[in-house]
Amino acid sequence: MLSTENLSIGYHGQVIVKDVSFTVPHGKITALLGPNGCGKSTLLKALSRTIKPVSGHVYWQQKDVQNIAHKEYARLLAMLPQVQPIPEGLTTFDLIAYGRSPHNGFWGRLSQKDRAVIDQVMAASGVTELADKRVSELSGGQRQRVWLAMTLAQETPYILLDEPTTYMDLNHQVELLGNLRRLNHEGKTIVTVLHDINQAARYCDYLLVMHNGELVAQGTPAEVINQKLLKEVFAVNAQIFPDPVANTPMCVVDD
């Protein structure tokens, strides 16, 4: 459903992502991998229509997304950016409620269904006990979980996440990635930027690897992860072993 064709993206006349073409596997979890500055977040912004392409296209069901009404696209695809502002005065519940705006209008009154969805995503994100707390008073990890809950409240078939494990300690990272797998089993298609290659290999079905603004590899973790790629893209010497739990590729960096 979601694809790109010869997509180039940039800022202020400088091209960051160059001539990228791929199709997001429907019904799967896809990870965008690559070193800092390679264009992962920029590519995600183009998929979400936050920025316009310099050239090329992003398609939803073979229709250029630039020709889809904003509210309609917001019902199809939700995006959690890497950096979010800290809203002053808003409670956790109020912020998550904004996720329902594509369904009821930005200033629309919450219906019984809206409130049920909000309660459900708060429980799934582990923030129910934070409902009445101001977002500005939360820790970085708590805020990240609240923003994720707001994204889930949009109830879109596709979800884009830019480094969703940022600010989270290890147990909450594992919990979040497990929740993404659960959402995927419930029918969501997910595209996420991750930095941890082993986490991506364990929890994701498909990998897109970026380097210097170009898409250099794509496929399943077993097809993509190898010593040559790790050396050329990430500048590390590593051995590849089967993960003893998931039996997915696991990278161990050499000294």
Side-chain angles (χ1 to χ4, degrees), residues 33-244:
L33 298 174
N36 289 336
C38 69
K40 303 184 299 297
S41 296
T42 300
L43 180 56
L44 214 62
K45 290 175 182 177
L47 294 179
S48 67
R49 216 175 62 173
T50 305
I51 57 176
K52 290 185 178 181
V54 173
S55 61
H57 304 274
V58 177
Y59 292 112
W60 174 270
Q61 293 185 333
Q62 301 181 331
K63 181 178 182 179
D64 193 311
V65 300
Q66 299 299 323
N67 298 324
I68 300 176
H70 176 76
K71 195 167 185 177
E72 179 184 353
Y73 201 53
R75 294 193 191 108
L76 300 172
L77 185 147
M79 166 76 170
L80 177 63
Q82 182 179 0
V83 178
Q84 293 280 12
I86 301 175
E88 292 295 333
L90 279 185
T91 66
T92 290
F93 182 91
D94 292 337
L95 180 63
I96 295 171
Y98 283 135
R100 300 301 299 162
S101 59
H103 303 277
N104 61 19
F106 192 78
W107 299 111
R109 298 175 66 88
L110 294 177
S111 67
Q112 185 175 355
K113 179 184 177 181
D114 292 329
R115 292 183 179 277
V117 170
I118 294 167
D119 288 342
Q120 179 183 355
V121 299
M122 284 198 300
S125 304
V127 298
T128 300
E129 72 281 4
L130 305 176
D132 296 325
K133 287 187 174 293
R134 295 182 186 274
V135 178
S136 58
E137 298 171 351
L138 304 180
S139 69
Q142 288 173 327
R143 283 198 298 269
Q144 189 74 351
R145 288 153 61 194
V146 169
W147 282 109
L148 176 62
M150 189 195 77
T151 304
L152 297 180
Q154 280 186 236
E155 286 195 303
T156 57
Y158 276 54
I159 301 172
L160 308 184
L161 307 168
D162 193 354
E163 297 189 36
T165 56
T166 301
Y167 308 119
M168 289 186 175
D169 51 28
L170 183 58
N171 67 317
H172 283 125
Q173 290 182 30
V174 172
E175 180 184 19
L176 180 140
L177 292 167
N179 282 338
L180 295 186
R181 177 56 74 186
R182 176 184 57 79
L183 289 166
N184 175 247
H185 288 162
E186 293 173 358
K188 303 289 189 182
T189 298
I190 298 169
V191 183
T192 181
V193 173
L194 293 174
H195 275 298
D196 190 311
I197 297 171
N198 290 332
Q199 285 184 345
R202 175 179 281 202
Y203 290 97
C204 301
D205 307 295
Y206 201 79
L207 306 180
L208 299 168
V209 183
M210 302 287 295
H211 186 48
N212 292 331
E214 298 180 351
L215 181 62
V216 297
Q218 60 178 308
T220 66
E223 292 169 340
V224 166
I225 297 175
N226 57 63
Q227 290 177 306
K228 183 173 183 288
L229 178 130
L230 294 174
K231 179 64 175 178
E232 292 180 353
V233 175
F234 298 96
V236 296
N237 295 311
Q239 301 294 321
I240 312 297
F241 300 97
D243 185 307

